[in-house]
Amino acid sequence: MNFDFSADQKELADHARRFLGESCTFDRLRDNMAGEEAYDRSLWQQMVELGWTAINIPEAQGGLGMGSLELCLLSEEVGRVLAPVPFFSTVCLGAHILNQLGQESLREQYLPPIAAGESVVAVALMPGLGQLEYADGCASGALGPVAWLGAADLLISRARDNHGTECLVLIDAKHATVARRNIDGVVLDGLVRHGQAEFSATPARLLASGDEARRLIELALAQAAILTAFEQLGGAQACCEMARDYSLERYTFGRVIGGYQAIKHKLADVQVEIELARSNAYYGAWALATDAAELARAAALARISATEAFTLAAEENLQVHGGIGYTWEANCHFYYQRARLLAINYGNADYWSQQLLAGLQAAH
Amino acid sequence: MSQNDTRAYLASARAWLAEQAPAYSGAARRGLSVEEDLALGRRWLHLKSEHGYAAITMPKIYGGGGGTEIEKVIFTNEENNYDLPTGYFGISLGMPVPMLLKYASEEVLRELVPPAIRGEQIWCQLFSEPAAGSDLAALTMRATPDGDGWRLNGQKLWTSWAQYSDWGVVVVRTDPTVPKHAGLTYFYVDMKSPGVEVRVIPKLAGESEINEVFFNDVFVPDAQRMGGVGGGFKVAMETLMIERYAVSDEAVGGISVEKFVDLAMRTRINGQPALADGEVRRLIADTVAERQGLRSIHRRAMAAIAAGTEPGPEGAIRKLLGARRRQQVSAVAMDLLGVDGVIMTEGAQPTEDFTESWIESPPLRIAGGSDEILRNTIAEKVLGLPQDHRPDKGIPFNKLS
């Protein structure tokens, strides 16, 4: 399989890159971090107008009816500029999960507002983010830290019912019984606002339980892994370009530092990791789009490579910049922090290594 | 080639190998001297040539398979499942013969290519010298005009399989009065010519395939020139380009990650199976992820070569990463084995023995473009970073100190 995106899809990506390159600048990121708003509402609104929140929602529910391949490319572009908007949780995961549901009434109710940009979704799927108990149409417990939980309209979360059965529930995050707050103050990567919440007999819709819930969660985690890999890929590529550009400007001992092998070989290693990560992310995109039997394996491979590439690229970008790289004024820190956040979000490298090995051993 | 064609090709190749390969591999090779093993290898190649499996992509009129790059990849993958005596012909059919196909006349091709494809003759590649390795253009071996040909004088180094070779391709200096890259010319040469002396260089371990080759007034007809006088560097680079993409198996000739997983399942760390160790798991996962990532990068490079275009320099990362990975995985395997790692299985191939796999790793990171040269290439060609400081640039070769 030599997978590549179509010309139309590449055009979408080019357009997204130009749009985000002009609108989502580093100054805007700094403004966002200093401001009160959890996310950049005007940028989000522009993305809504471009149809990005509708992209993977069927036309019958007010969407554009495109597939996961378009999401892969948009995720890469969002990752490249670190857009401070809840695109991943709302579109990549929220809309995806809702779209998988068998009950048409649920899809009819919840997808159109997402397509129209009127509904922001937070998603809590990984274990270890707290616990929700579900019984008789209500959920209780505590969750956090969960990205965008403080700002979301809807929450989709893992829960357990009173028999201990795994289920997936949907909650109106603004309901009076939800005590939530943004985690502010000193946090890693302030561009992705995380929230915490307590739920006391909060009305909750049961989306699925038992095997069906596990199937949906497994599928959503594969989707999360592959789309996160694209986000990481965009970030890694941005770091590599930033470091390259700086190395061509900065002089030491009478020549640009990019002419020294210490820098050339460092950046060549980064480039090599990016090529590998791109190759594996594309493999993941193909598996996602074709619902291939090897989806779980492809997801793990995409994620492992992307985490490796972004981590190396972000660290070496800062290193190439030297002292200035550690300042607020230089922009290396945005990527340095995001790389670590994405490395620990939705399963760290050891988690995905275990997933991959479980598959290898099963095949043995 | 459709999916069905591919499957059919795979099925018939697999069946053919299952029938034929056992008599030439594994137990059949145990206890053989190198000469006997080479003879077995020649017979294997001859048999393959009769069934279109030797030099799969080369034209049928010369004894090749007349097939596609994809068929070659499929067959080679399957063939690698057996421990066959194919190594002697890897360079011969890998670089010199394809270069001949590009540069020699029809008459020469009809005479020289079929014996090479049938394993009756072996070709070597005479590039490096004592003072010219990564900086190939610094070579000093001279060719001076003599009648309708040239006289060759000087020394080549690290020439694999020269001791068994009938022919070689060689790059030499024909004009020392111009800058170093401009004064080189490329020939093919009869290794049995008077004045050629081959000396085997013992390696750190095992049977040695590497040699130093001395040329004392060796005559080469001008008809054996490949490319223009002074155009040798370009032809040499074309040769190396093939070499960098020629890594044909995913474990670079060493132990596969599957064999490593087997080992990690049966060895223990602190009383637990090694496979339960987080670092061991990460190593396996990273190795598998790297292998998967390299697959499509390599396929893209192969497709470019098959289409007659030059693959991007990033295609060479299979060699860069694969060799380092083989060394690392083999070393960790030896860690898991503990002191048992000192015992090497007599006659075992690097695909079977962890220590053998480790001990033969270093040249893979040096030959045909060292790790450092490949990194330079990626930095300069892909990222657009400046060339290294080159004080010899533009200076006539004979004016360099």
Side-chain angles (χ1 to χ4, degrees), chain A residues 1-3 240 244 247-248 255-256 258-259 261 263-265 267-269 271-272 275-276 279-280 283 297 301 304-305 308 349-350 353-354 356-357 360-361 364, chain B residues 258 262 265 275 278 281-282 284-286 288-290 292-297 299-300 314 317 320-321 324 372 375-376 378-380 382-389:
Chain A
M1 185 264 328
N2 251 354
F3 171 79
C240 187
R244 191 258 328 263
S247 80
L248 290 172
R255 69 181 309 208
V256 294
Q261 287 191 349
I263 301 295
K264 288 168 75 173
H265 290 187
L267 294 183
D269 286 342
Q271 180 64 29
V272 163
E275 293 288 348
L276 278 183
S279 177
N280 279 329
Y283 177 50
R297 172 184 145 82
L301 290 168
I304 289 165
S305 281
E308 194 115 337
D350 194 53
S353 297
Q354 288 197 48
L356 183 65
L357 254 75
L360 280 183
Q361 282 175 278
H364 219 67
Chain B
E258 282 75 15
D262 280 342
M265 285 164 82
L275 201 56
R281 280 202 307 263
R282 282 293 299 280
I284 294 169
D286 286 348
V288 174
E290 185 175 286
Q292 181 68 39
L294 287 173
R295 280 183 186 162
S296 61
I297 292 169
R299 267 195 298 258
R300 274 199 293 274
E314 69 281 358
I317 70 177
L320 173 63
L321 295 179
R324 253 191 306 176
E372 291 72 20
R375 281 202 191 88
N376 262 6
I378 291 164
E380 291 168 17
V382 180
L383 295 172
L385 294 174
Q387 280 192 342
D388 288 355
H389 180 47

Coordinates of all heavy atoms in Angstrom, one line a residue, chain A residues 1-3 240 244 247-248 255-256 258-259 261 263-265 267-269 271-272 275-276 279-280 283 297 301 304-305 308 349-350 353-354 356-357 360-361 364, chain B residues 258 262 265 275 278 281-282 284-286 288-290 292-297 299-300 314 317 320-321 324 372 375-376 378-380 382-389:
Chain A
M1 N 0.9 -1.2 0.0 CA 0.0 0.0 0.0 C 0.9 1.2 0.0 O 1.7 1.5 0.9 CB -0.9 -0.1 1.3 CG -1.9 1.0 1.5 SD -1.5 2.4 2.4 CE -0.3 1.8 3.6
N2 N 0.8 2.0 -1.1 CA 1.5 3.3 -1.1 C 0.5 4.4 -1.0 O 0.1 4.9 -2.0 CB 2.4 3.4 -2.4 CG 3.8 3.3 -2.0 OD1 4.2 3.2 -0.9 ND2 4.7 3.3 -3.0
F3 N 0.1 4.7 0.2 CA -1.0 5.6 0.4 C -0.6 7.1 0.2 O 0.5 7.5 0.6 CB -1.5 5.5 1.8 CG -2.6 6.5 2.2 CD1 -3.9 6.4 1.7 CD2 -2.2 7.6 2.9 CE1 -4.8 7.4 2.0 CE2 -3.1 8.6 3.2 CZ -4.4 8.5 2.7
C240 N 11.0 21.8 13.1 CA 12.2 21.6 12.2 C 12.5 22.8 11.3 O 13.6 23.2 11.2 CB 11.9 20.3 11.4 SG 13.4 19.8 10.5
R244 N 15.7 25.2 11.4 CA 16.5 25.3 10.2 C 16.6 26.8 9.9 O 17.8 27.3 9.7 CB 15.7 24.6 9.1 CG 16.5 24.5 7.8 CD 16.1 25.5 6.7 NE 14.7 25.9 6.7 CZ 13.8 25.3 5.9 NH1 14.1 24.3 5.1 NH2 12.6 25.8 5.9
S247 N 19.0 28.5 12.3 CA 20.4 28.1 12.1 C 21.0 28.8 10.8 O 22.2 28.8 10.7 CB 20.5 26.6 12.0 OG 20.1 26.1 10.7
L248 N 20.2 29.2 10.0 CA 20.7 30.0 8.8 C 20.9 31.5 9.0 O 21.4 32.2 8.2 CB 19.7 29.7 7.6 CG 19.7 28.3 7.0 CD1 18.7 28.1 6.0 CD2 21.1 28.0 6.4
R255 N 30.6 32.0 10.8 CA 29.6 31.5 9.8 C 28.3 31.1 10.4 O 28.2 31.0 11.6 CB 30.3 30.3 9.1 CG 30.5 29.1 9.9 CD 31.1 27.9 9.1 NE 30.5 27.6 7.9 CZ 30.5 26.4 7.3 NH1 31.1 25.4 7.8 NH2 29.9 26.3 6.1
V256 N 27.3 30.8 9.6 CA 26.0 30.5 10.2 C 26.1 29.1 10.8 O 26.8 28.2 10.4 CB 24.9 30.4 9.1 CG1 24.6 31.8 8.6 CG2 25.2 29.5 8.0
G258 N 24.1 26.8 11.0 CA 23.6 25.7 10.2 C 24.7 25.0 9.3 O 24.4 24.0 8.7
G259 N 25.8 25.6 9.2 CA 26.9 25.0 8.4 C 27.8 24.1 9.2 O 28.6 23.4 8.7
Q261 N 28.5 20.7 11.4 CA 27.9 19.3 11.4 C 27.1 19.1 12.7 O 26.2 18.3 12.7 CB 28.9 18.2 11.2 CG 29.4 18.2 9.8 CD 30.2 17.0 9.5 OE1 30.7 16.3 10.4 NE2 30.5 16.7 8.2
I263 N 25.1 20.9 14.1 CA 23.7 21.3 13.9 C 23.1 20.5 12.7 O 22.0 20.1 12.8 CB 23.7 22.8 13.6 CG1 24.3 23.6 14.8 CG2 22.3 23.3 13.3 CD1 23.5 23.5 16.1
K264 N 23.9 20.4 11.7 CA 23.4 19.7 10.5 C 22.9 18.3 10.8 O 21.8 17.8 10.4 CB 24.4 19.6 9.4 CG 24.7 20.9 8.7 CD 26.0 20.9 7.8 CE 25.8 20.1 6.5 NZ 27.0 20.2 5.7
H265 N 23.7 17.6 11.6 CA 23.4 16.2 11.9 C 22.2 16.1 12.9 O 21.4 15.2 12.8 CB 24.6 15.4 12.5 CG 25.7 15.2 11.4 ND1 26.8 14.4 11.6 CD2 25.7 15.6 10.1 CE1 27.5 14.4 10.5 NE2 26.9 15.1 9.6
L267 N 19.7 18.2 13.0 CA 18.5 18.5 12.2 C 18.2 17.4 11.2 O 17.1 17.1 10.9 CB 18.6 19.9 11.6 CG 18.6 21.1 12.6 CD1 18.7 22.4 11.8 CD2 17.5 21.0 13.5
A268 N 19.3 16.7 10.7 CA 19.0 15.6 9.8 C 18.3 14.5 10.6 O 17.4 13.9 10.1 CB 20.4 15.1 9.3
D269 N 18.7 14.3 11.9 CA 18.1 13.3 12.7 C 16.6 13.6 12.9 O 15.7 12.7 12.9 CB 18.8 13.1 14.1 CG 20.1 12.4 13.9 OD1 20.3 11.7 12.9 OD2 20.9 12.5 14.9
Q271 N 14.8 15.4 10.9 CA 14.1 15.3 9.6 C 13.8 13.8 9.4 O 12.7 13.4 8.9 CB 14.9 15.8 8.5 CG 14.3 15.7 7.1 CD 13.0 16.5 7.0 OE1 12.9 17.5 7.6 NE2 12.1 16.0 6.1
V272 N 14.7 12.9 9.7 CA 14.5 11.5 9.5 C 13.4 11.0 10.4 O 12.5 10.2 9.9 CB 15.8 10.7 9.9 CG1 15.6 9.3 10.1 CG2 16.9 10.9 8.8
E275 N 10.2 12.0 8.8 CA 9.8 11.2 7.6 C 9.2 9.9 8.1 O 8.2 9.4 7.5 CB 11.1 10.9 6.8 CG 11.7 12.1 6.1 CD 10.9 12.6 4.9 OE1 10.0 11.9 4.5 OE2 11.2 13.7 4.4
L276 N 9.8 9.3 9.1 CA 9.2 8.0 9.6 C 7.8 8.3 10.2 O 6.9 7.5 9.9 CB 10.1 7.5 10.8 CG 11.3 6.7 10.5 CD1 11.9 6.3 11.8 CD2 11.0 5.5 9.6
S279 N 5.3 8.7 7.4 CA 5.0 7.4 6.8 C 4.0 6.7 7.7 O 3.0 6.1 7.2 CB 6.3 6.7 6.6 OG 6.1 5.4 6.1
N280 N 4.2 6.6 9.0 CA 3.3 5.8 9.8 C 2.0 6.5 10.0 O 1.0 5.9 10.2 CB 4.0 5.6 11.2 CG 5.0 4.4 11.1 OD1 4.7 3.5 10.3 ND2 6.0 4.4 11.9
Y283 N 0.0 5.7 7.1 CA -0.5 4.3 7.2 C -1.7 4.3 8.1 O -2.7 3.6 7.8 CB 0.6 3.4 7.8 CG 0.3 2.0 8.1 CD1 -0.3 1.2 7.2 CD2 0.7 1.4 9.3 CE1 -0.5 -0.2 7.4 CE2 0.4 0.1 9.6 CZ -0.2 -0.7 8.7 OH -0.4 -2.0 9.0
R297 N -3.2 -1.8 15.2 CA -1.8 -1.8 15.0 C -1.3 -0.5 14.4 O -0.3 0.1 14.8 CB -1.4 -3.0 14.1 CG 0.0 -3.1 13.7 CD 0.1 -4.3 12.7 NE 1.1 -4.0 11.7 CZ 2.4 -4.1 11.9 NH1 2.9 -4.5 13.0 NH2 3.2 -3.8 10.9
L301 N 1.3 2.3 15.9 CA 2.5 2.7 15.2 C 2.6 4.2 14.9 O 3.6 4.8 15.0 CB 2.6 1.9 13.9 CG 2.9 0.4 14.0 CD1 2.6 -0.3 12.7 CD2 4.3 0.2 14.5
I304 N 3.3 6.0 18.2 CA 4.6 5.9 18.7 C 5.6 6.7 17.9 O 6.4 7.5 18.5 CB 5.0 4.4 18.7 CG1 4.2 3.6 19.7 CG2 6.5 4.2 18.9 CD1 4.3 2.1 19.5
S305 N 5.5 6.7 16.6 CA 6.4 7.4 15.8 C 6.2 8.9 15.9 O 7.2 9.7 16.0 CB 6.2 7.1 14.3 OG 6.8 5.9 14.0
E308 N 7.6 10.3 19.2 CA 9.1 10.3 19.1 C 9.6 11.5 18.3 O 10.4 12.3 18.7 CB 9.6 9.0 18.4 CG 11.0 8.8 18.5 CD 11.3 7.5 19.3 OE1 10.4 7.1 20.1 OE2 12.3 6.9 19.2
A349 N 3.8 6.8 25.5 CA 4.5 5.8 24.6 C 4.5 4.4 25.1 O 4.3 3.4 24.3 CB 5.9 6.3 24.4
D350 N 4.5 4.2 26.4 CA 4.5 2.9 27.0 C 3.1 2.2 26.8 O 3.0 1.1 26.4 CB 4.9 2.9 28.5 CG 5.2 1.5 28.9 OD1 6.1 0.8 28.3 OD2 4.6 1.0 29.9
S353 N 3.0 1.2 23.2 CA 3.9 0.1 23.0 C 3.3 -1.2 23.5 O 3.4 -2.2 22.8 CB 5.2 0.3 23.8 OG 5.9 1.4 23.3
Q354 N 2.6 -1.1 24.6 CA 1.9 -2.3 25.1 C 0.8 -2.8 24.1 O 0.6 -4.0 23.9 CB 1.3 -2.0 26.5 CG 2.4 -1.9 27.6 CD 1.7 -2.1 28.9 OE1 1.0 -3.0 29.2 NE2 2.1 -1.2 29.8
L356 N 0.7 -2.3 21.0 CA 1.4 -2.9 19.8 C 1.9 -4.3 20.1 O 1.7 -5.2 19.3 CB 2.6 -2.0 19.3 CG 3.3 -2.4 18.1 CD1 2.4 -2.3 16.9 CD2 4.5 -1.5 17.9
L357 N 2.5 -4.5 21.2 CA 3.1 -5.8 21.6 C 2.0 -6.8 21.8 O 2.2 -8.0 21.5 CB 3.9 -5.6 22.8 CG 5.4 -5.8 22.5 CD1 5.9 -4.5 21.9 CD2 6.2 -6.1 23.7
L360 N 1.3 -8.0 18.5 CA 2.4 -8.9 18.0 C 2.4 -10.3 18.6 O 2.6 -11.3 18.0 CB 3.8 -8.2 18.4 CG 4.3 -7.1 17.6 CD1 5.7 -6.7 18.1 CD2 4.4 -7.5 16.1
Q361 N 2.1 -10.3 20.0 CA 2.1 -11.6 20.7 C 0.9 -12.4 20.2 O 1.0 -13.6 20.1 CB 2.1 -11.4 22.2 CG 3.5 -11.0 22.7 CD 3.4 -10.7 24.2 OE1 3.0 -9.6 24.6 NE2 3.7 -11.7 25.0
H364 N 1.7 -14.1 17.2 CA 2.8 -15.0 17.3 C 2.4 -16.5 17.2 O 1.5 -16.9 17.9 CB 3.5 -14.8 18.6 CG 5.0 -14.9 18.5 ND1 5.7 -14.0 17.8 CD2 5.9 -15.8 19.0 CE1 7.0 -14.3 17.8 NE2 7.1 -15.4 18.6
Chain B
E258 N 11.2 -10.1 15.1 CA 10.5 -11.3 15.6 C 11.4 -12.2 16.4 O 11.0 -12.7 17.4 CB 9.9 -12.1 14.4 CG 8.6 -11.4 13.8 CD 8.9 -10.2 13.0 OE1 10.1 -10.0 12.6 OE2 7.9 -9.5 12.7
D262 N 11.0 -13.3 20.4 CA 11.2 -14.7 20.9 C 12.1 -14.7 22.1 O 11.9 -15.3 23.1 CB 11.8 -15.6 19.8 CG 10.7 -16.0 18.8 OD1 9.5 -15.9 19.2 OD2 11.1 -16.5 17.7
M265 N 10.9 -13.3 25.2 CA 9.9 -14.1 25.9 C 10.5 -15.2 26.7 O 9.9 -15.7 27.7 CB 8.9 -14.7 24.8 CG 7.9 -13.7 24.3 SD 7.1 -14.2 22.8 CE 5.8 -15.2 23.4
L275 N 10.2 -9.5 28.4 CA 9.1 -8.8 27.6 C 8.3 -7.9 28.5 O 7.6 -7.0 28.1 CB 8.3 -9.8 26.9 CG 7.5 -9.3 25.7 CD1 8.4 -8.7 24.7 CD2 6.7 -10.5 25.0
G278 N 9.7 -2.5 30.7 CA 9.2 -1.3 29.9 C 10.2 -0.9 28.9 O 9.8 -0.6 27.7
R281 N 10.1 -3.4 26.0 CA 8.9 -3.2 25.2 C 9.1 -2.0 24.3 O 8.7 -2.0 23.2 CB 7.7 -3.0 26.2 CG 7.1 -4.2 26.7 CD 5.7 -4.0 27.1 NE 5.6 -2.8 28.0 CZ 5.5 -2.9 29.4 NH1 5.6 -4.1 29.9 NH2 5.4 -1.9 30.1
R282 N 9.6 -0.9 24.9 CA 9.8 0.3 24.1 C 10.7 0.1 22.9 O 10.5 0.5 21.8 CB 10.3 1.5 24.9 CG 9.3 2.1 25.8 CD 8.3 2.9 25.0 NE 8.8 4.0 24.2 CZ 9.2 5.2 24.7 NH1 9.0 5.4 26.0 NH2 9.7 6.1 23.9
I284 N 11.3 -2.7 21.3 CA 10.6 -3.5 20.3 C 9.6 -2.6 19.6 O 9.5 -2.6 18.3 CB 9.8 -4.7 21.0 CG1 10.8 -5.7 21.6 CG2 8.9 -5.4 19.9 CD1 10.2 -6.8 22.4
A285 N 8.8 -1.8 20.3 CA 7.8 -1.0 19.7 C 8.5 0.0 18.7 O 8.0 0.2 17.6 CB 7.0 -0.3 20.7
D286 N 9.6 0.6 19.2 CA 10.3 1.6 18.3 C 10.8 0.9 17.1 O 10.8 1.5 16.0 CB 11.4 2.2 19.1 CG 10.9 3.2 20.1 OD1 9.7 3.6 20.1 OD2 11.7 3.7 21.0
V288 N 9.7 -1.8 15.6 CA 8.6 -2.2 14.7 C 8.0 -0.9 14.0 O 7.8 -0.9 12.8 CB 7.4 -2.9 15.4 CG1 6.2 -3.1 14.5 CG2 7.9 -4.2 16.0
A289 N 7.9 0.2 14.8 CA 7.4 1.4 14.2 C 8.4 2.0 13.1 O 8.0 2.4 12.1 CB 7.2 2.5 15.3
E290 N 9.7 1.8 13.4 CA 10.7 2.3 12.4 C 10.6 1.4 11.1 O 10.6 1.9 10.0 CB 12.1 2.2 13.0 CG 13.2 2.7 12.2 CD 14.5 2.7 12.9 OE1 14.7 3.5 13.8 OE2 15.3 1.8 12.7
Q292 N 8.0 -0.3 10.0 CA 6.8 0.0 9.3 C 7.0 1.4 8.5 O 6.6 1.5 7.4 CB 5.6 0.1 10.2 CG 4.3 0.4 9.5 CD 3.9 -0.8 8.7 OE1 4.0 -1.9 9.0 NE2 3.3 -0.4 7.5
G293 N 7.5 2.4 9.2 CA 7.7 3.7 8.6 C 8.6 3.6 7.4 O 8.3 4.3 6.4
L294 N 9.6 2.8 7.5 CA 10.6 2.7 6.4 C 10.0 2.0 5.1 O 10.4 2.2 4.0 CB 11.8 1.9 6.8 CG 12.8 2.7 7.8 CD1 13.9 1.8 8.3 CD2 13.3 3.9 7.0
R295 N 9.0 1.1 5.4 CA 8.4 0.4 4.3 C 7.9 1.3 3.2 O 8.3 1.1 2.0 CB 7.3 -0.5 4.7 CG 7.8 -1.8 5.4 CD 6.7 -2.7 5.8 NE 7.3 -3.8 6.5 CZ 6.6 -4.6 7.3 NH1 5.3 -4.5 7.5 NH2 7.3 -5.6 7.9
S296 N 7.1 2.3 3.5 CA 6.5 3.1 2.4 C 7.5 4.1 1.9 O 7.5 4.4 0.7 CB 5.2 3.7 2.8 OG 5.4 4.6 3.9
I297 N 8.5 4.5 2.7 CA 9.5 5.4 2.2 C 10.4 4.7 1.2 O 10.7 5.2 0.1 CB 10.4 5.9 3.4 CG1 9.6 6.8 4.3 CG2 11.7 6.6 2.9 CD1 10.3 7.1 5.6
R299 N 9.5 2.0 -0.5 CA 8.7 1.7 -1.7 C 8.6 2.9 -2.6 O 8.6 2.7 -3.8 CB 7.2 1.2 -1.3 CG 7.1 -0.3 -1.2 CD 5.7 -0.7 -1.2 NE 5.0 -0.1 0.0 CZ 4.8 -0.8 1.1 NH1 5.1 -2.0 1.2 NH2 4.2 -0.2 2.1
R300 N 8.5 4.1 -2.0 CA 8.4 5.3 -2.9 C 9.7 5.4 -3.6 O 9.7 5.8 -4.8 CB 8.1 6.5 -2.0 CG 6.7 6.8 -1.8 CD 6.4 8.2 -1.4 NE 7.0 8.5 0.0 CZ 6.3 8.3 1.1 NH1 5.1 7.8 1.1 NH2 6.8 8.6 2.2
E314 N 15.9 11.4 1.0 CA 15.3 10.8 2.2 C 15.1 9.3 2.1 O 15.0 8.6 3.0 CB 14.0 11.5 2.7 CG 12.8 11.2 1.7 CD 12.8 12.1 0.5 OE1 13.7 12.9 0.3 OE2 11.9 11.9 -0.3
I317 N 17.3 6.8 4.0 CA 17.3 6.7 5.4 C 17.1 5.2 5.9 O 17.4 4.9 7.0 CB 16.3 7.6 6.1 CG1 14.9 7.2 5.8 CG2 16.5 9.0 5.8 CD1 13.8 8.0 6.6
L320 N 20.5 4.3 6.7 CA 21.0 5.1 7.9 C 20.4 4.5 9.1 O 21.1 4.2 10.1 CB 20.6 6.5 7.7 CG 20.8 7.5 8.9 CD1 22.3 7.5 9.3 CD2 20.3 8.9 8.7
L321 N 19.1 4.3 9.1 CA 18.4 3.8 10.3 C 18.6 2.3 10.5 O 18.8 1.8 11.7 CB 16.9 4.1 10.3 CG 16.6 5.6 10.3 CD1 15.1 5.8 10.2 CD2 17.1 6.3 11.6
R324 N 22.0 1.1 12.1 CA 22.1 1.5 13.6 C 21.2 0.6 14.4 O 21.5 0.2 15.5 CB 21.7 2.9 13.8 CG 22.9 3.8 14.1 CD 22.4 5.2 14.5 NE 21.5 5.8 13.6 CZ 20.9 7.0 13.8 NH1 21.1 7.6 14.9 NH2 20.1 7.5 12.9
E372 N 27.4 9.5 8.8 CA 27.7 10.9 8.8 C 27.5 11.6 7.4 O 26.9 12.7 7.3 CB 29.1 11.2 9.3 CG 29.4 10.8 10.7 CD 29.4 9.3 11.0 OE1 29.6 8.5 10.1 OE2 29.1 9.0 12.2
R375 N 23.8 11.8 6.8 CA 23.2 12.9 7.5 C 23.5 14.2 6.8 O 22.7 15.1 6.7 CB 23.7 13.0 8.9 CG 23.1 12.0 9.9 CD 23.3 12.5 11.3 NE 22.9 11.5 12.3 CZ 23.8 10.6 12.7 NH1 25.0 10.5 12.3 NH2 23.4 9.7 13.6
N376 N 24.7 14.4 6.4 CA 25.1 15.6 5.6 C 24.2 15.8 4.4 O 23.7 16.9 4.1 CB 26.6 15.5 5.2 CG 27.5 16.2 6.1 OD1 27.1 16.7 7.1 ND2 28.8 16.3 5.7
I378 N 21.2 14.6 3.9 CA 19.8 15.0 4.3 C 19.8 16.5 4.7 O 18.9 17.2 4.3 CB 19.3 14.1 5.4 CG1 19.1 12.7 4.9 CG2 18.0 14.6 6.0 CD1 18.9 11.6 5.9
A379 N 20.8 16.9 5.5 CA 20.8 18.3 5.9 C 20.9 19.2 4.8 O 20.3 20.3 4.7 CB 22.0 18.5 6.9
E380 N 21.8 18.9 3.8 CA 22.0 19.8 2.7 C 20.9 19.7 1.6 O 20.4 20.7 1.1 CB 23.4 19.5 2.0 CG 24.5 19.8 3.0 CD 25.9 19.3 2.5 OE1 26.0 18.9 1.3 OE2 26.8 19.2 3.4
V382 N 17.8 18.1 1.7 CA 16.4 18.2 2.2 C 16.1 19.5 2.9 O 15.2 20.2 2.7 CB 15.9 17.0 3.1 CG1 14.5 17.1 3.5 CG2 16.2 15.7 2.3
L383 N 17.0 19.8 3.9 CA 16.8 21.0 4.7 C 17.4 22.3 4.1 O 17.2 23.3 4.6 CB 17.3 20.7 6.1 CG 16.6 19.6 6.9 CD1 17.3 19.3 8.2 CD2 15.2 20.0 7.1
G384 N 18.3 22.1 3.1 CA 18.9 23.3 2.5 C 20.0 24.0 3.4 O 20.2 25.2 3.3
L385 N 20.6 23.2 4.2 CA 21.7 23.8 5.1 C 23.0 23.8 4.2 O 23.2 23.1 3.3 CB 21.9 22.9 6.3 CG 20.7 23.0 7.3 CD1 20.8 22.1 8.5 CD2 20.4 24.4 7.8
P386 N 23.9 24.7 4.6 CA 25.1 24.9 3.8 C 26.0 23.7 3.8 O 26.0 22.9 4.7 CB 25.9 26.1 4.5 CG 24.9 26.7 5.4 CD 23.9 25.6 5.8
Q387 N 26.9 23.6 2.8 CA 27.9 22.5 2.7 C 28.9 22.7 3.8 O 29.1 23.8 4.3 CB 28.6 22.6 1.4 CG 27.9 21.9 0.2 CD 28.7 21.8 -1.0 OE1 29.8 22.4 -1.1 NE2 28.3 20.9 -1.9
D388 N 29.6 21.6 4.1 CA 30.7 21.8 5.1 C 31.8 22.7 4.5 O 31.8 22.9 3.3 CB 31.3 20.4 5.4 CG 30.4 19.5 6.2 OD1 29.4 20.1 6.7 OD2 30.7 18.4 6.5
H389 N 32.7 23.1 5.4 CA 33.8 23.9 4.9 C 34.7 23.0 4.0 O 35.1 21.9 4.4 CB 34.6 24.3 6.2 CG 35.8 25.1 5.9 ND1 35.8 26.2 5.1 CD2 37.1 25.0 6.4 CE1 37.0 26.7 5.0 NE2 37.8 26.1 5.8

